[in-house]
Amino acid sequence: MKILFLTHSFNSLTQRLFIELQNLGHEISIEFDINDKVSLEAVKLFQPNLIIAPFLKRKIQKEVWQNYLTWIIHPGILGDRGPSALDWAILNDEKIWGVSVIEAVEELDAGPVWGYEYFAMPSSRSKSSIYRNEITEATMQAIKKSLKRLENNQKPVAVSEIRENIKGNLHQKISQNNRKIDWQNDNSQTIIRKINSADSSPGILTNFFDNEYFLYDAHIEKKLKGKPKEILAKHENAVCIATTDGAIWIGHLKKRRDNEKKYFKLPATTILKDFLKNIPEKSTSFLKDKNTYQEIFYEIKGKIAFLHFPFYNGAMSSEQCSRLKNAFQKVCETDAKIIVLMGGNDFFSNGIHLNTIENAEDSPQESMQNILAMNTLVKKIIQTTNKITVAAMRGNIGAGGVFFALACDFVWAKNSVVLNPHYKNMGNLYGSEFWTYLLPKRVGKNLAEIKKLRLPIGVEKAKSLKLIDDHFGNSRTEFEEILQNNLVKTLTQENEIISNKINTRKSDEFKKPLAEYEQEELAKMKQNFFGFDPSYHVARYNFVNKVKHSRTPLFLAKHRNKNNSN
Ligand code: COA
Ligand code: THG
């Protein structure tokens, strides 16, 4: 079928759907929902058999849904209607939630239902994390069921006619007042739930030092205590704030827009820097400690070390890269024979940290610093020849994050992972992270095809291109079980793998030293950062400041692209 995605943006859910529906043989084109006129034009140009709205905030005009079958993906259970669906579900502490595929009609989300799915709500996870995992998985199931229904010429069913014990209802757009933190009365769990319900957007507004900030990225602290709202400690990106029954860590803040300026999200310690001079720095080791928040931590099981780095949004600043390198070094000093890079649950890595770069006094210089810090980390992994290294991708991965993962001996991904192995969306950066060494070595003759990619790919395609070695596991637990089995198997071949690795590294270095690859890459990156073409700086500014799309890029809007090429 010809399927048009009408969507607010090409977010993670839309990307996954794009990959899965293409895999089922459908032809997909995408239009950003900019205004009614442009959306109608897209529909007329493409003449789709079906329109899907994976992530839409505006009402679809009658002329579209009356003439073309249109499905809304709603992040709520059967019968649930209205905006802020997932926000309300988290705030109300729902135990079961879900996704429904609703046919668009005049009244918002009130149309008949083509498919729906339920899942158990995880506790203590942010809205965006649930969206990127449970909502995305449930959507794939619900959409596949809906497509079966359509193929079988079955009709959608009105909510009132479906017999289910759990049904939702209409709700209003959520406001700051609905989830305002009451520091004198709310306990840690309540505060974290409120912040989770608004993370990644819009955040929970609160006041510190006479300024208003949106809070994001909240975690429990089990040891420190103080007067409610007192700042107790700082550590790396995060600040620790006392609550009525303990304390929480806040990793990210955004200053509220004022008359002069609109601000963007940054590490909490960056934003509050001037107020934190007398606040003690909490020291923790990288070894996993359940009592506090650690941005980077490792655990050792037998001869296998698991290094976790669930960086917010998968972004890695110069400082984060350097801390991760130190943590990797610490793990190297243990008896572990295999080091597994686990990334985070939502993202493995999205490369350099565009927000901290945008915030730097000298952004071109900070871009270079960030790339150098990434390279130091990647080089350390490549040069670790006495251990086996594995990248275990559990979450999505993009740009430099992909090449960082390829530094490992084995690259395995969870079935749901979406990869963006290119820098094309960021002003067409040349890229570094030793990709000119790592990529040809791994993918051989597929190099040219990979270099042409500018769209996200799924794990099947990534494996066929040899970007990854394997993929498995539909759920988090399934992935981790198979991962463990594979690691145990790998361990039995330890000596052979290590001796091959030492020899290959030696001969590769002899043919062309790593330093030479790096110099060549950096020469190109210098052009991107300091040269005449401002594309990267413009793209970064727009990305960080969330400048609204004014048009859909032609590589997505195939209906507008005469050549129809990728
Ligand atoms: N450096 C810095 N930041 C980076 C980065 C990098 N290298 N790479 C990615 N990011 C950030 C992005 O800026 C974005 O940040 P933010 O969302 O914290 O501001 C984030 O990583 C990824 O965003 P996106 O591509 O939108 O990913 P997503 O699809 O995983 O996130 C939600 C989606 C949850 C934020 C959003 O889609 C949402 O609100 N969904 C709810 C839908 C809903 O309720 N709809 C109701 C209508 S019925
Ligand atoms: N039918 C039609 N168009 C649609 C839907 C539909 N467009 C997308 C929509 N479903 C997705 N769901 C909603 C449901 C309610 C609201 C927005 C998206 C909503 N919005 C308020 C408004 O527009 O005034 C407030 C939101 C805001 O202020 O951002 O109520 O089923 N044809």
Side-chain angles (χ1 to χ4, degrees):
M1 280 198 296
K2 281 166 79 173
I3 305 179
L4 180 74
F5 288 177
L6 195 56
T7 186
H8 176 72
S9 69
F10 199 33
N11 69 352
S12 56
L13 175 70
T14 313
Q15 296 194 11
R16 175 80 188 285
L17 209 53
F18 175 76
I19 291 164
E20 297 265 351
L21 294 187
Q22 271 185 332
N23 285 352
L24 291 176
H26 300 294
E27 184 191 346
I28 314 292
S29 194
I30 299 170
E31 184 74 25
F32 291 153
D33 181 42
I34 290 159
N35 62 41
D36 282 354
K37 187 172 157 277
V38 174
S39 296
L40 186 63
E41 186 182 73
V43 171
K44 286 187 171 159
L45 278 169
F46 193 51
Q47 297 285 327
N49 308 99
L50 172 67
I51 299 172
I52 299 181
F55 176 35
L56 197 61
K57 298 179 171 182
R58 287 181 347 112
K59 189 167 184 165
I60 300 171
Q61 57 198 302
K62 212 179 215 151
E63 207 177 337
V64 171
W65 59 260
Q66 267 187 344
N67 296 314
Y68 299 84
L69 177 61
T70 304
W71 291 353
I72 308 288
I73 292 173
H74 179 71
I77 49 172
L78 180 71
D80 184 88
R81 288 168 51 195
S84 325
L86 195 47
D87 307 50
W88 281 117
I90 296 171
L91 199 62
N92 294 338
D93 210 8
E94 300 288 356
K95 299 292 181 246
I96 304 278
W97 203 241
V99 165
S100 32
V101 179
I102 307 170
E103 184 166 326
V105 294
E106 182 61 27
E107 201 179 343
L108 291 171
D109 302 340
V113 173
W114 282 87
Y116 57 95
E117 207 62 37
Y118 292 95
F119 57 81
M121 268 286 245
S123 59
S124 286
R125 291 243 313 277
S126 72
K127 171 174 66 162
S128 48
S129 178
I130 297 171
Y131 187 83
R132 289 166 190 149
N133 292 281
E134 284 79 2
I135 291 277
T136 303
E137 286 312 316
T139 298
M140 297 313 135
Q141 300 308 321
I143 275 287
K144 282 175 191 166
K145 284 186 187 166
S146 305
L147 287 169
K148 278 260 147 42
R149 213 170 233 291
L150 185 61
E151 273 167 32
N152 297 336
N153 284 321
Q154 285 171 284
K155 293 277 163 259
V157 189
V159 175
S160 59
E161 282 167 32
I162 303 174
R163 276 209 270 156
E164 282 284 357
N165 290 331
I166 303 172
K167 279 191 190 176
N169 39 46
L170 177 65
H171 43 67
Q172 300 305 309
K173 188 175 163 70
I174 203 163
S175 73
Q176 284 294 335
N177 273 338
N178 295 129
R179 43 188 171 184
K180 193 171 163 56
I181 297 173
D182 177 353
W183 291 95
Q184 301 308 321
N185 287 302
D186 288 347
N187 62 16
S188 298
Q189 209 195 347
T190 305
I191 297 175
I192 290 179
R193 186 162 66 238
K194 287 179 174 177
I195 297 172
N196 277 342
S197 79
D199 200 351
S200 63
S201 166
I204 296 292
L205 202 53
T206 207
N207 203 293
F208 285 120
F209 312 106
D210 290 332
N211 283 313
E212 282 190 293
Y213 302 98
F214 292 99
L215 309 184
Y216 310 90
D217 191 15
H219 307 269
I220 192 89
E221 160 64 43
K222 293 190 181 159
K223 289 273 169 69
L224 299 175
K225 284 186 168 48
K227 278 198 293 264
K229 216 183 172 186
E230 184 188 356
I231 299 200
L232 301 174
K234 60 186 175 192
H235 182 57
E236 298 173 347
N237 279 347
V239 291
C240 183
I241 306 168
T243 64
T244 54
D245 66 338
I248 58 165
W249 288 92
I250 296 292
H252 283 78
L253 296 175
K254 184 171 84 172
K255 203 168 171 209
R256 188 183 193 170
R257 176 184 202 134
D258 54 34
N259 292 336
E260 284 162 40
K261 224 175 141 189
K262 186 172 171 259
Y263 299 89
F264 51 83
K265 217 179 269 182
L266 284 167
T269 45
T270 305
I271 293 202
L272 298 178
K273 195 168 80 213
D274 295 342
F275 306 108
L276 296 179
K277 292 205 178 89
N278 298 321
I279 302 291
E281 170 86 38
K282 184 176 192 261
S283 65
T284 54
S285 82
F286 290 118
L287 196 58
K288 184 175 174 172
D289 174 357
K290 279 198 201 127
N291 291 317
T292 193
Y293 164 59
Q294 292 161 295
E295 199 184 22
I296 302 172
F297 61 92
Y298 71 89
E299 24 179 5
I300 297 199
K301 292 179 189 157
K303 286 184 159 188
I304 306 168
F306 297 86
L307 178 57
H308 296 258
F309 42 97
F311 296 127
Y312 191 74
N313 286 335
M316 294 166 63
S317 68
S318 307
E319 286 175 8
Q320 286 164 317
C321 292
S322 133
R323 287 198 287 267
L324 183 53
K325 198 210 86 188
N326 293 342
F328 184 83
Q329 176 62 39
K330 272 272 171 288
V331 179
C332 284
E333 288 161 16
T334 70
D335 293 333
K337 287 293 171 207
I338 305 187
I339 303 176
V340 190
L341 301 191
M342 296 290 281
N345 192 43
D346 293 357
F347 293 107
F348 183 89
S349 167
N350 276 327
I352 56 174
H353 200 311
L354 299 163
N355 291 39
T356 49
I357 291 173
E358 190 62 31
N359 185 53
E361 259 175 49
D362 185 341
S363 295
Q365 195 57 43
E366 182 52 32
S367 305
M368 198 44 128
Q369 285 308 319
N370 205 157
I371 285 291
L372 289 171
M374 277 295 269
N375 285 0
T376 308
L377 169 65
V378 173
K379 188 159 76 188
K380 174 81 201 156
I381 298 169
I382 297 172
Q383 289 177 331
T384 299
T385 49
N386 62 340
K387 314 260 182 195
I388 299 169
T389 53
V390 175
M393 299 174 183
R394 299 174 301 158
N396 295 352
I397 180 161
V402 178
F403 305 103
F404 154 48
L406 299 192
C408 292
D409 304 322
F410 298 97
V411 181
W412 300 330
K414 191 174 136 195
N415 287 339
S416 57
V417 167
V418 171
L419 303 96
N420 273 288
H422 55 80
Y423 305 83
K424 299 220 171 58
N425 299 337
M426 206 35 66
N428 214 0
L429 284 180
Y430 181 77
S432 191
E433 291 98 4
F434 297 91
W435 76 263
T436 54
Y437 167 61
L438 295 168
L439 201 53
K441 179 167 130 103
R442 181 170 270 279
V443 307
K445 62 175 175 32
N446 299 329
L447 183 64
E449 190 177 344
I450 292 171
K451 280 167 80 175
K452 275 195 287 187
L453 290 174
R454 62 174 314 142
L455 286 165
I457 59 168
V459 291
E460 295 85 359
K461 177 107 185 253
K463 189 178 174 185
S464 76
L465 289 169
K466 294 193 187 163
L467 256 180
I468 63 172
D469 297 298
D470 208 355
H471 61 85
F472 43 80
N474 290 322
S475 67
R476 187 170 163 177
T477 42
E478 202 179 59
F479 177 77
E480 278 165 19
E481 264 171 41
I482 302 172
L483 173 68
Q484 185 63 32
N485 290 341
N486 286 358
L487 290 168
V488 171
K489 251 185 260 161
T490 307
L491 212 45
T492 62
Q493 299 150 23
E494 179 196 332
N495 292 340
E496 192 189 335
I497 296 170
I498 294 280
S499 74
N500 280 343
K501 184 173 175 175
I502 293 171
N503 291 338
T504 311
R505 183 80 281 279
K506 259 195 202 145
S507 72
D508 284 356
E509 189 68 20
F510 181 74
K511 275 186 238 155
K512 180 168 169 175
L514 281 179
E516 221 171 284
Y517 286 101
E518 187 178 24
Q519 268 169 21
E520 288 167 7
E521 290 171 8
L522 292 179
K524 302 267 194 181
M525 285 303 252
K526 271 190 193 137
Q527 294 290 319
N528 291 144
F529 296 152
F530 304 104
F532 292 118
D533 179 358
S535 302
Y536 156 72
H537 301 293
V538 173
R540 191 190 63 236
Y541 176 90
N542 290 341
F543 178 84
V544 169
N545 290 293
K546 307 205 173 296
V547 173
K548 280 217 171 94
H549 302 287
S550 56
R551 56 186 276 277
T552 311
L554 292 184
F555 67 92
L556 297 177
K558 296 202 183 113
H559 49 279
R560 296 184 185 279
N561 187 345
K562 296 275 180 303
N563 303 324
N564 239 2
S565 71
N566 290 338

